Structures are given as structure tokens and as C-alpha cells.
Amino acid sequence: MAVLQITTPHNTRAVELPDGLVVIGRHHDSDIVLEDKSASRQHCTIQSFGGSYILCDLDSRNGTHIKNKRIDKTIIKFGDAFLIGKTILRIFEDSTPPVELVGETDKSNDNNEETSVSVAQIRS
């Protein structure tokens, strides 16, 4: 079963990614709950699709980003990272590698507001 690694400025956790359509958001009724104030109550969905995953933003206020670009809907593969607020999410096939927080970087959002995002690296 696939695993979703969730890295916040404060910690990293991993959750098994259930089959079918998975809702990610701040609301307690979401399949995967984020404690990020920048996340919408129902922020995005992710669904398996032939060895990859379809990531779909649910018209969230602050957007879902991949490589500093806001996305509406895209296909992602194992190891690909996406950003919701200050939370970095990454899908792995079976288990997640250990990570460590190594600092912060500044990022501009769609409103040209500066935000600080934690930077994580995979331990070798």
C-alpha cells in the first residue's frame, strides 16, 4: 500500500494512503487531516490511477503547488512532492525514507505575500 509522507515545520509523519478517492484538508471529516491554517477544509483529492496518482485541487483558497506552480489537476508519481501551505506531502510506494528539517526558504504566494516554508531533505 502507498504511503503519504506529511512534513510540517514541526514534524514529519506517514499515513497509509487508502484505495479510492482520498480527500486531504483541514476539516476533521477529511480522509487525511492537515493542521495547516493555509489548508482549506477540503483542499484537494488524490486517487490512484494505473501506477500513478491524480492530484486535484478543490478550488482551495491558497492552492496546491508542485515545483512552485499552482495546479488544478495533474498526475503525480511515487516520490513527487506537492505543497499545501507550509506542508510538504510526498507519496512513496511502500514506506517513507527518514527526513530531517534543514531550514526554511521564502516563497511568494499568488497574492505576492512572502511566506516561509520548511525545507526537508531525505537522509541517506
Side-chain angles (χ1 to χ4, degrees):
M1 178 173 278
V3 177
L4 183 66
Q5 180 184 65
I6 303 167
T7 303
T8 71
H10 307 291
N11 64 30
T12 297
R13 65 185 168 112
V15 296
E16 287 187 354
L17 199 55
D19 293 331
L21 186 69
V22 176
V23 177
I24 301 172
R26 200 179 70 243
H27 195 269
H28 63 84
D29 283 343
S30 296
D31 298 308
I32 297 176
V33 178
L34 301 179
E35 295 181 20
D36 189 320
K37 292 178 182 176
S38 297
S40 295
R41 284 179 252 136
Q42 292 187 328
H43 196 96
C44 65
T45 60
I46 190 163
Q47 184 172 21
S48 62
F49 177 75
S52 297
Y53 286 84
I54 298 173
L55 175 64
C56 183
D57 187 82
L58 297 175
D59 295 323
S60 63
R61 180 177 179 170
N62 294 312
T64 303
H65 295 82
I66 295 178
K67 297 180 183 176
N68 293 325
K69 294 189 185 215
R70 188 173 182 151
I71 62 100
D72 292 319
K73 186 175 186 178
T74 192
I75 294 176
I76 59 174
K77 296 177 261 186
F78 292 123
D80 288 348
F82 58 100
L83 186 68
I84 296 174
K86 294 183 179 182
T87 303
I88 302 166
L89 300 100
R90 185 173 293 187
I91 300 173
F92 292 95
E93 191 166 5
D94 294 315
S95 63
T96 62
V99 297
E100 61 183 319
L101 300 178
V102 294
E104 294 186 344
T105 185
D106 290 329
K107 173 187 166 302
S108 294
N109 62 19
D110 291 342
N111 298 326
N112 290 325
E113 297 169 338
E114 291 292 321
T115 59
S116 182
V117 177
S118 291
V119 177
Q121 72 180 16
I122 296 174
R123 288 189 213 149
S124 26

